Amino acid sequence: CFVLALFESNKLNIMNKILPIILLGTSFTSCTQAGDSQSEKQPNIVLIIGDDISWNDYGCYGNPDVKTPNIDNLATEGIKFTNAYLTASSCSPSRCSIITGRYPHNTGAHELRLPLPMDQLLFPKVLKENGYYTAHAGKWHFGVNEFSGPGLEAFDSYGNDSDGGKKDGGEEQWVNRIKNRPQDKAFFMWFASNDAHRKWSADSFLPPHNPDSLNVPPFLIDDAATRNDLASYYNEIARFDFYIGEVVKELSKQGVLDNTVILVLADNGRPFPRCKTRVYDSGMKTGLIFRWGDKIDQGITSDALVSVIDIAPTLLDIAGIKAGKTFQGRSFAGLFDNPDAEFRNYIFSEHNWHDYESYERQVRTKDFMFIYNGRPLLNNIGGADVVRSPSMKSLFNAHESNLLTDAQSDIFLGPRPVKEFYNCRKDPLQLNNIIDDKNYINQIEELERILKKWQKQTGDTEPAIITKDHFDRKTGAFLLGEAEKINKTVIRGEIPGKSKHATNINHPGPF
């Protein structure tokens, strides 16, 4: 009885001493669980976009020449998509399409350097409204080069501390953005590089690629000038890859790597003849890699057809946010768990003005590609930076001497066919137009019907007067007056889809 009375008399003192410890432990456990729950619902997201890099110019996509160890490592730790496609092989229209999840003629920014309208909804803004800290670093170019447009509302932080993203590859501020972020929020980062856009500036950044050891695509001239051009291009990709490695190191250092979705892609194909601006795979296909800790099995591959307009709804889905009606794509997050599943039946792409007058529309399945060309009297030369390149000069010289192969002659062809059709299984580079092959008449008619249906449902039109050439097709020299050159003025024609109010149309077209 004495012991019991003694215990009862001291019980209050004992509880007063241990209760704060118990409560502290309970509080710590509750906070940890809440934090884990928040982390589960809202993983961090880092989107890294290269400039003018073709899908097969990474080691993990089978290129034996280029040095991309960090990108290759992301592929071994995540999922690699082998049938990911852009909507435009042109810098700003492509980026505007990705960030809005809409086709170029539906964004109102279908041409190079055409400003993205303020009423377009950007998926980073949706993330921001749902608790994310959103930041941008590197190249801007959502229609214009300077920081402007609806992107300003979408990002808590944008631009670069020193050089506006124009120094070297523009990647210098990527790590700083991660270091200087708020620590109490999930974050979304849009990291954009100028690599590998011309002019080259990475030849001395890392041990350079050896021109003599490179493989030259069949549509280019295999000479010293082209090999040196390719080597400099690969050096730019290596610098892009280096800074991706620095981002991964910083995320790991902060202990947030495994709860961060990292995706790598590019805005269009390599800045070489028959690539950039073209609707062939050499211009329109992109590498696409996702890494997300243990949420994605390591080293898996998906050959499902996906479009970059699907990226916005996919990232919103990952963040636990329902994509609104303005997004024309769909989430392919289910492919992370089931990479062998099918997704899209069709891919649609556009070629509008990029320095030169053009109007092409393309529909693609895994097996076949159909192209409609609304300006058949014009050749398909590429962008002005491509026309001024050493590789193009080699092609011009061989063209004047009648020494080109059929593949190399393609860029000079004019008039061009109004319609083109390719068996992509047998002809992965789309070198042999079989539009007149009677064996494929059913496939040709079906894809032409699907393309017209997509145009009708999404409000695409073909105006009589569209933006004309601003550069010479042989020299790349500026054609307009000095005032336009100084002020970077673009004299534009009618926007495709304007008469149908395509910027207000949300129909996705055939899927």
Side-chain angles (χ1 to χ4, degrees), residues 474-499:
K474 185 171 182 178
T475 66
F478 195 73
L479 293 176
L480 303 183
E482 193 64 25
E484 290 87 355
K485 183 176 181 180
I486 293 173
N487 297 318
K488 299 181 179 178
T489 303
V490 176
I491 302 172
R492 300 187 187 272
E494 182 180 334
I495 297 175
K498 182 178 180 180
S499 62

Side-chain angles (χ1 to χ4, degrees), residues 6 16 45 66 70 86 102 203 406:
L6 181 64
N16 286 339
I45 302 170
V66 68
N70 295 299
L86 302 158
R102 296 171 65 78
D203 287 350
D406 289 343

